[in-house]
PDB file of all heavy atoms in Angstrom:
ATOM      1  N   VAL B 182      -9.087   2.490   7.933  1.00  0.00           N
ATOM      2  CA  VAL B 182      -8.571   1.199   7.479  1.00  0.00           C
ATOM      3  C   VAL B 182      -7.752   1.423   6.218  1.00  0.00           C
ATOM      4  O   VAL B 182      -8.250   1.983   5.249  1.00  0.00           O
ATOM      5  CB  VAL B 182      -9.720   0.224   7.183  1.00  0.00           C
ATOM      6  CG1 VAL B 182      -9.169  -1.130   6.817  1.00  0.00           C
ATOM      7  CG2 VAL B 182     -10.630   0.114   8.376  1.00  0.00           C
ATOM      8  N   THR B 183      -6.525   0.990   6.249  1.00  0.00           N
ATOM      9  CA  THR B 183      -5.663   1.201   5.092  1.00  0.00           C
ATOM     10  C   THR B 183      -4.819  -0.030   4.847  1.00  0.00           C
ATOM     11  O   THR B 183      -4.698  -0.892   5.705  1.00  0.00           O
ATOM     12  CB  THR B 183      -4.769   2.427   5.298  1.00  0.00           C
ATOM     13  OG1 THR B 183      -3.984   2.595   4.135  1.00  0.00           O
ATOM     14  CG2 THR B 183      -3.867   2.250   6.498  1.00  0.00           C
ATOM     15  N   GLU B 184      -4.263  -0.114   3.661  1.00  0.00           N
ATOM     16  CA  GLU B 184      -3.351  -1.215   3.354  1.00  0.00           C
ATOM     17  C   GLU B 184      -1.920  -0.707   3.352  1.00  0.00           C
ATOM     18  O   GLU B 184      -0.992  -1.480   3.220  1.00  0.00           O
ATOM     19  CB  GLU B 184      -3.640  -1.739   1.952  1.00  0.00           C
ATOM     20  CG  GLU B 184      -4.849  -2.575   1.850  1.00  0.00           C
ATOM     21  CD  GLU B 184      -4.771  -3.398   0.583  1.00  0.00           C
ATOM     22  OE1 GLU B 184      -4.762  -2.798  -0.496  1.00  0.00           O
ATOM     23  OE2 GLU B 184      -4.700  -4.620   0.682  1.00  0.00           O
ATOM     24  N   ASP B 185      -1.795   0.582   3.472  1.00  0.00           N
ATOM     25  CA  ASP B 185      -0.505   1.208   3.304  1.00  0.00           C
ATOM     26  C   ASP B 185       0.283   1.125   4.611  1.00  0.00           C
ATOM     27  O   ASP B 185      -0.044   1.787   5.590  1.00  0.00           O
ATOM     28  CB  ASP B 185      -0.745   2.673   2.905  1.00  0.00           C
ATOM     29  CG  ASP B 185       0.539   3.360   2.530  1.00  0.00           C
ATOM     30  OD1 ASP B 185       1.593   2.732   2.712  1.00  0.00           O
ATOM     31  OD2 ASP B 185       0.489   4.508   2.083  1.00  0.00           O
ATOM     32  N   GLU B 186       1.308   0.286   4.613  1.00  0.00           N
ATOM     33  CA  GLU B 186       2.096   0.109   5.828  1.00  0.00           C
ATOM     34  C   GLU B 186       2.688   1.429   6.306  1.00  0.00           C
ATOM     35  O   GLU B 186       2.729   1.716   7.490  1.00  0.00           O
ATOM     36  CB  GLU B 186       3.240  -0.879   5.570  1.00  0.00           C
ATOM     37  CG  GLU B 186       2.794  -2.302   5.360  1.00  0.00           C
ATOM     38  CD  GLU B 186       2.133  -2.881   6.602  1.00  0.00           C
ATOM     39  OE1 GLU B 186       2.584  -2.570   7.712  1.00  0.00           O
ATOM     40  OE2 GLU B 186       1.126  -3.600   6.448  1.00  0.00           O
ATOM     41  N   GLU B 187       3.130   2.213   5.339  1.00  0.00           N
ATOM     42  CA  GLU B 187       3.774   3.470   5.696  1.00  0.00           C
ATOM     43  C   GLU B 187       2.816   4.386   6.428  1.00  0.00           C
ATOM     44  O   GLU B 187       3.180   5.055   7.394  1.00  0.00           O
ATOM     45  CB  GLU B 187       4.268   4.175   4.438  1.00  0.00           C
ATOM     46  CG  GLU B 187       5.687   3.878   4.101  1.00  0.00           C
ATOM     47  CD  GLU B 187       6.064   4.571   2.803  1.00  0.00           C
ATOM     48  OE1 GLU B 187       5.991   5.804   2.745  1.00  0.00           O
ATOM     49  OE2 GLU B 187       6.424   3.850   1.852  1.00  0.00           O
ATOM     50  N   ALA B 188       1.568   4.391   5.935  1.00  0.00           N
ATOM     51  CA  ALA B 188       0.576   5.256   6.554  1.00  0.00           C
ATOM     52  C   ALA B 188       0.353   4.845   7.999  1.00  0.00           C
ATOM     53  O   ALA B 188       0.222   5.688   8.884  1.00  0.00           O
ATOM     54  CB  ALA B 188      -0.731   5.182   5.771  1.00  0.00           C
ATOM     55  N   ILE B 189       0.351   3.537   8.222  1.00  0.00           N
ATOM     56  CA  ILE B 189       0.152   3.065   9.595  1.00  0.00           C
ATOM     57  C   ILE B 189       1.304   3.544  10.455  1.00  0.00           C
ATOM     58  O   ILE B 189       1.127   4.034  11.561  1.00  0.00           O
ATOM     59  CB  ILE B 189       0.058   1.531   9.607  1.00  0.00           C
ATOM     60  CG1 ILE B 189      -1.139   1.094   8.801  1.00  0.00           C
ATOM     61  CG2 ILE B 189      -0.045   1.012  11.026  1.00  0.00           C
ATOM     62  CD1 ILE B 189      -1.270  -0.385   8.662  1.00  0.00           C
ATOM     63  N   GLN B 190       2.498   3.418   9.911  1.00  0.00           N
ATOM     64  CA  GLN B 190       3.691   3.874  10.629  1.00  0.00           C
ATOM     65  C   GLN B 190       3.580   5.355  10.968  1.00  0.00           C
ATOM     66  O   GLN B 190       3.846   5.783  12.079  1.00  0.00           O
ATOM     67  CB  GLN B 190       4.922   3.676   9.737  1.00  0.00           C
ATOM     68  CG  GLN B 190       5.284   2.237   9.521  1.00  0.00           C
ATOM     69  CD  GLN B 190       6.241   1.775  10.579  1.00  0.00           C
ATOM     70  OE1 GLN B 190       7.152   2.516  10.922  1.00  0.00           O
ATOM     71  NE2 GLN B 190       6.018   0.598  11.121  1.00  0.00           N
ATOM     72  N   GLN B 191       3.170   6.095   9.937  1.00  0.00           N
ATOM     73  CA  GLN B 191       3.238   7.540  10.055  1.00  0.00           C
ATOM     74  C   GLN B 191       2.119   8.095  10.935  1.00  0.00           C
ATOM     75  O   GLN B 191       2.349   8.946  11.783  1.00  0.00           O
ATOM     76  CB  GLN B 191       3.149   8.148   8.649  1.00  0.00           C
ATOM     77  CG  GLN B 191       3.524   9.599   8.612  1.00  0.00           C
ATOM     78  CD  GLN B 191       3.427  10.120   7.189  1.00  0.00           C
ATOM     79  OE1 GLN B 191       3.321   9.360   6.242  1.00  0.00           O
ATOM     80  NE2 GLN B 191       3.468  11.422   7.046  1.00  0.00           N
ATOM     81  N   TYR B 192       0.909   7.601  10.682  1.00  0.00           N
ATOM     82  CA  TYR B 192      -0.236   8.205  11.343  1.00  0.00           C
ATOM     83  C   TYR B 192      -0.749   7.386  12.521  1.00  0.00           C
ATOM     84  O   TYR B 192      -1.598   7.845  13.263  1.00  0.00           O
ATOM     85  CB  TYR B 192      -1.389   8.382  10.348  1.00  0.00           C
ATOM     86  CG  TYR B 192      -1.017   9.148   9.110  1.00  0.00           C
ATOM     87  CD1 TYR B 192      -1.187   8.604   7.856  1.00  0.00           C
ATOM     88  CD2 TYR B 192      -0.491  10.435   9.216  1.00  0.00           C
ATOM     89  CE1 TYR B 192      -0.846   9.302   6.721  1.00  0.00           C
ATOM     90  CE2 TYR B 192      -0.149  11.138   8.076  1.00  0.00           C
ATOM     91  CZ  TYR B 192      -0.327  10.575   6.827  1.00  0.00           C
ATOM     92  OH  TYR B 192       0.010  11.271   5.709  1.00  0.00           O
ATOM     93  N   GLY B 193      -0.281   6.145  12.628  1.00  0.00           N
ATOM     94  CA  GLY B 193      -0.855   5.213  13.586  1.00  0.00           C
ATOM     95  C   GLY B 193      -1.083   5.810  14.951  1.00  0.00           C
ATOM     96  O   GLY B 193      -2.122   5.605  15.566  1.00  0.00           O
ATOM     97  N   SER B 194      -0.102   6.568  15.467  1.00  0.00           N
ATOM     98  CA  SER B 194      -0.259   7.050  16.835  1.00  0.00           C
ATOM     99  C   SER B 194      -0.224   8.571  16.883  1.00  0.00           C
ATOM    100  O   SER B 194       0.157   9.150  17.870  1.00  0.00           O
ATOM    101  CB  SER B 194       0.839   6.455  17.699  1.00  0.00           C
ATOM    102  OG  SER B 194       2.065   6.599  17.041  1.00  0.00           O
ATOM    103  N   GLU B 195      -0.613   9.196  15.789  1.00  0.00           N
ATOM    104  CA  GLU B 195      -0.488  10.649  15.757  1.00  0.00           C
ATOM    105  C   GLU B 195      -1.614  11.331  16.522  1.00  0.00           C
ATOM    106  O   GLU B 195      -1.373  12.239  17.305  1.00  0.00           O
ATOM    107  CB  GLU B 195      -0.489  11.123  14.306  1.00  0.00           C
ATOM    108  CG  GLU B 195       0.261  12.416  14.117  1.00  0.00           C
ATOM    109  CD  GLU B 195       0.329  12.780  12.648  1.00  0.00           C
ATOM    110  OE1 GLU B 195       1.279  12.356  12.001  1.00  0.00           O
ATOM    111  OE2 GLU B 195      -0.561  13.484  12.161  1.00  0.00           O
ATOM    112  N   THR B 196      -2.822  10.878  16.303  1.00  0.00           N
ATOM    113  CA  THR B 196      -3.947  11.511  16.976  1.00  0.00           C
ATOM    114  C   THR B 196      -4.659  10.474  17.826  1.00  0.00           C
ATOM    115  O   THR B 196      -4.948   9.379  17.361  1.00  0.00           O
ATOM    116  CB  THR B 196      -4.953  12.064  15.956  1.00  0.00           C
ATOM    117  OG1 THR B 196      -4.224  12.703  14.941  1.00  0.00           O
ATOM    118  CG2 THR B 196      -5.917  13.010  16.607  1.00  0.00           C
ATOM    119  N   GLU B 197      -4.941  10.845  19.045  1.00  0.00           N
ATOM    120  CA  GLU B 197      -5.642   9.916  19.904  1.00  0.00           C
ATOM    121  C   GLU B 197      -7.082   9.798  19.414  1.00  0.00           C
ATOM    122  O   GLU B 197      -7.709  10.790  19.046  1.00  0.00           O
ATOM    123  CB  GLU B 197      -5.614  10.436  21.336  1.00  0.00           C
ATOM    124  CG  GLU B 197      -5.761   9.349  22.342  1.00  0.00           C
ATOM    125  CD  GLU B 197      -5.647   9.891  23.759  1.00  0.00           C
ATOM    126  OE1 GLU B 197      -4.892  10.858  23.953  1.00  0.00           O
ATOM    127  OE2 GLU B 197      -6.309   9.363  24.621  1.00  0.00           O
ATOM    128  N   GLY B 198      -7.590   8.611  19.437  1.00  0.00           N
ATOM    129  CA  GLY B 198      -8.979   8.438  19.026  1.00  0.00           C
ATOM    130  C   GLY B 198      -9.137   8.149  17.550  1.00  0.00           C
ATOM    131  O   GLY B 198     -10.177   7.729  17.104  1.00  0.00           O
ATOM    132  N   VAL B 199      -8.082   8.397  16.789  1.00  0.00           N
ATOM    133  CA  VAL B 199      -8.146   8.042  15.378  1.00  0.00           C
ATOM    134  C   VAL B 199      -7.136   6.927  15.152  1.00  0.00           C
ATOM    135  O   VAL B 199      -5.938   7.140  15.282  1.00  0.00           O
ATOM    136  CB  VAL B 199      -7.822   9.245  14.478  1.00  0.00           C
ATOM    137  CG1 VAL B 199      -7.922   8.851  13.023  1.00  0.00           C
ATOM    138  CG2 VAL B 199      -8.757  10.380  14.788  1.00  0.00           C
ATOM    139  N   PHE B 200      -7.626   5.755  14.887  1.00  0.00           N
ATOM    140  CA  PHE B 200      -6.745   4.603  14.752  1.00  0.00           C
ATOM    141  C   PHE B 200      -6.542   4.298  13.280  1.00  0.00           C
ATOM    142  O   PHE B 200      -7.466   4.400  12.490  1.00  0.00           O
ATOM    143  CB  PHE B 200      -7.359   3.379  15.416  1.00  0.00           C
ATOM    144  CG  PHE B 200      -7.707   3.607  16.851  1.00  0.00           C
ATOM    145  CD1 PHE B 200      -8.975   4.000  17.212  1.00  0.00           C
ATOM    146  CD2 PHE B 200      -6.747   3.457  17.834  1.00  0.00           C
ATOM    147  CE1 PHE B 200      -9.298   4.216  18.531  1.00  0.00           C
ATOM    148  CE2 PHE B 200      -7.055   3.677  19.153  1.00  0.00           C
ATOM    149  CZ  PHE B 200      -8.341   4.070  19.513  1.00  0.00           C
ATOM    150  N   VAL B 201      -5.334   3.937  12.950  1.00  0.00           N
ATOM    151  CA  VAL B 201      -5.068   3.545  11.577  1.00  0.00           C
ATOM    152  C   VAL B 201      -4.638   2.093  11.620  1.00  0.00           C
ATOM    153  O   VAL B 201      -3.665   1.754  12.278  1.00  0.00           O
ATOM    154  CB  VAL B 201      -3.958   4.416  10.961  1.00  0.00           C
ATOM    155  CG1 VAL B 201      -3.742   4.026   9.518  1.00  0.00           C
ATOM    156  CG2 VAL B 201      -4.334   5.864  11.063  1.00  0.00           C
ATOM    157  N   ILE B 202      -5.380   1.238  10.981  1.00  0.00           N
ATOM    158  CA  ILE B 202      -5.073  -0.180  11.090  1.00  0.00           C
ATOM    159  C   ILE B 202      -5.155  -0.885   9.758  1.00  0.00           C
ATOM    160  O   ILE B 202      -5.723  -0.407   8.798  1.00  0.00           O
ATOM    161  CB  ILE B 202      -6.029  -0.912  12.061  1.00  0.00           C
ATOM    162  CG1 ILE B 202      -7.464  -0.803  11.572  1.00  0.00           C
ATOM    163  CG2 ILE B 202      -5.895  -0.374  13.445  1.00  0.00           C
ATOM    164  CD1 ILE B 202      -8.373  -1.817  12.174  1.00  0.00           C
ATOM    165  N   SER B 203      -4.574  -2.043   9.739  1.00  0.00           N
ATOM    166  CA  SER B 203      -4.781  -2.996   8.660  1.00  0.00           C
ATOM    167  C   SER B 203      -4.602  -4.333   9.333  1.00  0.00           C
ATOM    168  O   SER B 203      -3.697  -4.528  10.113  1.00  0.00           O
ATOM    169  CB  SER B 203      -3.755  -2.773   7.558  1.00  0.00           C
ATOM    170  OG  SER B 203      -3.115  -3.962   7.235  1.00  0.00           O
ATOM    171  N   PHE B 204      -5.463  -5.261   9.081  1.00  0.00           N
ATOM    172  CA  PHE B 204      -5.446  -6.492   9.849  1.00  0.00           C
ATOM    173  C   PHE B 204      -5.928  -7.612   8.955  1.00  0.00           C
ATOM    174  O   PHE B 204      -7.096  -7.716   8.656  1.00  0.00           O
ATOM    175  CB  PHE B 204      -6.403  -6.341  11.034  1.00  0.00           C
ATOM    176  CG  PHE B 204      -6.133  -7.288  12.155  1.00  0.00           C
ATOM    177  CD1 PHE B 204      -5.747  -6.827  13.391  1.00  0.00           C
ATOM    178  CD2 PHE B 204      -6.262  -8.651  11.974  1.00  0.00           C
ATOM    179  CE1 PHE B 204      -5.498  -7.700  14.420  1.00  0.00           C
ATOM    180  CE2 PHE B 204      -5.999  -9.524  12.999  1.00  0.00           C
ATOM    181  CZ  PHE B 204      -5.619  -9.044  14.240  1.00  0.00           C
ATOM    182  N   LYS B 205      -5.013  -8.403   8.488  1.00  0.00           N
ATOM    183  CA  LYS B 205      -5.489  -9.525   7.689  1.00  0.00           C
ATOM    184  C   LYS B 205      -4.423 -10.597   7.607  1.00  0.00           C
ATOM    185  O   LYS B 205      -3.262 -10.374   7.918  1.00  0.00           O
ATOM    186  CB  LYS B 205      -5.867  -9.066   6.295  1.00  0.00           C
ATOM    187  CG  LYS B 205      -4.742  -8.365   5.601  1.00  0.00           C
ATOM    188  CD  LYS B 205      -5.164  -7.960   4.236  1.00  0.00           C
ATOM    189  CE  LYS B 205      -4.002  -7.326   3.540  1.00  0.00           C
ATOM    190  NZ  LYS B 205      -4.021  -7.325   2.153  1.00  0.00           N
ATOM    191  N   GLY B 206      -4.824 -11.769   7.205  1.00  0.00           N
ATOM    192  CA  GLY B 206      -3.885 -12.865   7.099  1.00  0.00           C
ATOM    193  C   GLY B 206      -4.398 -13.881   6.117  1.00  0.00           C
ATOM    194  O   GLY B 206      -5.497 -13.757   5.596  1.00  0.00           O
ATOM    195  N   ILE B 207      -3.582 -14.900   5.871  1.00  0.00           N
ATOM    196  CA  ILE B 207      -4.002 -15.925   4.926  1.00  0.00           C
ATOM    197  C   ILE B 207      -4.484 -17.135   5.690  1.00  0.00           C
ATOM    198  O   ILE B 207      -3.829 -17.599   6.615  1.00  0.00           O
ATOM    199  CB  ILE B 207      -2.842 -16.296   3.991  1.00  0.00           C
ATOM    200  CG1 ILE B 207      -2.529 -15.116   3.094  1.00  0.00           C
ATOM    201  CG2 ILE B 207      -3.175 -17.523   3.175  1.00  0.00           C
ATOM    202  CD1 ILE B 207      -1.363 -15.317   2.200  1.00  0.00           C
ATOM    203  N   LEU B 208      -5.625 -17.633   5.313  1.00  0.00           N
ATOM    204  CA  LEU B 208      -6.181 -18.796   5.982  1.00  0.00           C
ATOM    205  C   LEU B 208      -5.428 -20.023   5.520  1.00  0.00           C
ATOM    206  O   LEU B 208      -5.252 -20.268   4.352  1.00  0.00           O
ATOM    207  CB  LEU B 208      -7.666 -18.941   5.641  1.00  0.00           C
ATOM    208  CG  LEU B 208      -8.353 -20.083   6.371  1.00  0.00           C
ATOM    209  CD1 LEU B 208      -8.700 -19.666   7.769  1.00  0.00           C
ATOM    210  CD2 LEU B 208      -9.579 -20.527   5.636  1.00  0.00           C
ATOM    211  N   ASN B 209      -4.997 -20.805   6.477  1.00  0.00           N
ATOM    212  CA  ASN B 209      -4.271 -22.002   6.185  1.00  0.00           C
ATOM    213  C   ASN B 209      -5.000 -23.142   6.850  1.00  0.00           C
ATOM    214  O   ASN B 209      -5.031 -23.227   8.061  1.00  0.00           O
ATOM    215  CB  ASN B 209      -2.881 -21.883   6.801  1.00  0.00           C
ATOM    216  CG  ASN B 209      -1.823 -22.143   5.783  1.00  0.00           C
ATOM    217  OD1 ASN B 209      -2.023 -22.975   4.901  1.00  0.00           O
ATOM    218  ND2 ASN B 209      -0.721 -21.448   5.901  1.00  0.00           N
ATOM    219  N   VAL B 210      -5.618 -23.989   6.074  1.00  0.00           N
ATOM    220  CA  VAL B 210      -6.377 -25.067   6.695  1.00  0.00           C
ATOM    221  C   VAL B 210      -5.431 -26.224   6.969  1.00  0.00           C
ATOM    222  O   VAL B 210      -4.632 -26.604   6.127  1.00  0.00           O
ATOM    223  CB  VAL B 210      -7.528 -25.511   5.780  1.00  0.00           C
ATOM    224  CG1 VAL B 210      -8.231 -26.711   6.365  1.00  0.00           C
ATOM    225  CG2 VAL B 210      -8.491 -24.380   5.576  1.00  0.00           C
ATOM    226  N   ASN B 211      -5.535 -26.760   8.179  1.00  0.00           N
ATOM    227  CA  ASN B 211      -4.724 -27.907   8.533  1.00  0.00           C
ATOM    228  C   ASN B 211      -5.173 -29.096   7.703  1.00  0.00           C
ATOM    229  O   ASN B 211      -6.334 -29.456   7.672  1.00  0.00           O
ATOM    230  CB  ASN B 211      -4.921 -28.196  10.015  1.00  0.00           C
ATOM    231  CG  ASN B 211      -3.957 -29.232  10.515  1.00  0.00           C
ATOM    232  OD1 ASN B 211      -3.605 -30.157   9.787  1.00  0.00           O
ATOM    233  ND2 ASN B 211      -3.541 -29.071  11.736  1.00  0.00           N
ATOM    234  N   LYS B 212      -4.226 -29.704   7.028  1.00  0.00           N
ATOM    235  CA  LYS B 212      -4.555 -30.778   6.116  1.00  0.00           C
ATOM    236  C   LYS B 212      -5.160 -31.958   6.863  1.00  0.00           C
ATOM    237  O   LYS B 212      -6.017 -32.663   6.351  1.00  0.00           O
ATOM    238  CB  LYS B 212      -3.274 -31.228   5.418  1.00  0.00           C
ATOM    239  CG  LYS B 212      -3.466 -31.470   3.942  1.00  0.00           C
ATOM    240  CD  LYS B 212      -2.359 -32.276   3.363  1.00  0.00           C
ATOM    241  CE  LYS B 212      -1.043 -31.541   3.277  1.00  0.00           C
ATOM    242  NZ  LYS B 212      -0.036 -32.252   2.526  1.00  0.00           N
ATOM    243  N   HIS B 213      -4.687 -32.185   8.068  1.00  0.00           N
ATOM    244  CA  HIS B 213      -5.060 -33.422   8.738  1.00  0.00           C
ATOM    245  C   HIS B 213      -6.406 -33.334   9.436  1.00  0.00           C
ATOM    246  O   HIS B 213      -7.149 -34.276   9.488  1.00  0.00           O
ATOM    247  CB  HIS B 213      -3.997 -33.794   9.758  1.00  0.00           C
ATOM    248  CG  HIS B 213      -2.628 -33.649   9.189  1.00  0.00           C
ATOM    249  ND1 HIS B 213      -2.314 -34.097   7.931  1.00  0.00           N
ATOM    250  CD2 HIS B 213      -1.514 -33.064   9.671  1.00  0.00           C
ATOM    251  CE1 HIS B 213      -1.056 -33.822   7.680  1.00  0.00           C
ATOM    252  NE2 HIS B 213      -0.550 -33.189   8.701  1.00  0.00           N
ATOM    253  N   ARG B 214      -6.662 -32.195   9.981  1.00  0.00           N
ATOM    254  CA  ARG B 214      -7.929 -32.077  10.701  1.00  0.00           C
ATOM    255  C   ARG B 214      -8.768 -31.015  10.018  1.00  0.00           C
ATOM    256  O   ARG B 214      -9.093 -29.994  10.575  1.00  0.00           O
ATOM    257  CB  ARG B 214      -7.658 -31.738  12.166  1.00  0.00           C
ATOM    258  CG  ARG B 214      -7.218 -32.948  12.942  1.00  0.00           C
ATOM    259  CD  ARG B 214      -6.603 -32.596  14.249  1.00  0.00           C
ATOM    260  NE  ARG B 214      -5.250 -32.132  14.072  1.00  0.00           N
ATOM    261  CZ  ARG B 214      -4.200 -32.948  14.000  1.00  0.00           C
ATOM    262  NH1 ARG B 214      -4.345 -34.232  14.100  1.00  0.00           N
ATOM    263  NH2 ARG B 214      -2.999 -32.468  13.831  1.00  0.00           N
ATOM    264  N   ALA B 215      -9.068 -31.327   8.772  1.00  0.00           N
ATOM    265  CA  ALA B 215      -9.699 -30.332   7.918  1.00  0.00           C
ATOM    266  C   ALA B 215     -11.006 -29.818   8.494  1.00  0.00           C
ATOM    267  O   ALA B 215     -11.386 -28.680   8.267  1.00  0.00           O
ATOM    268  CB  ALA B 215      -9.960 -30.938   6.546  1.00  0.00           C
TER     269      ALA B 215
END
Side-chain angles (χ1 to χ4, degrees):
Chain B
V182 184
T183 181
E184 284 199 297
D185 188 353
E186 291 296 323
E187 266 177 60
I189 298 176
Q190 291 270 318
Q191 193 179 347
Y192 305 123
S194 47
E195 207 175 270
T196 317
E197 205 177 327
V199 181
F200 304 94
V201 182
I202 61 161
S203 128
F204 201 116
K205 56 179 183 157
I207 292 176
L208 184 80
N209 233 325
V210 175
N211 189 325
K212 223 197 290 189
H213 315 316
R214 282 165 282 275

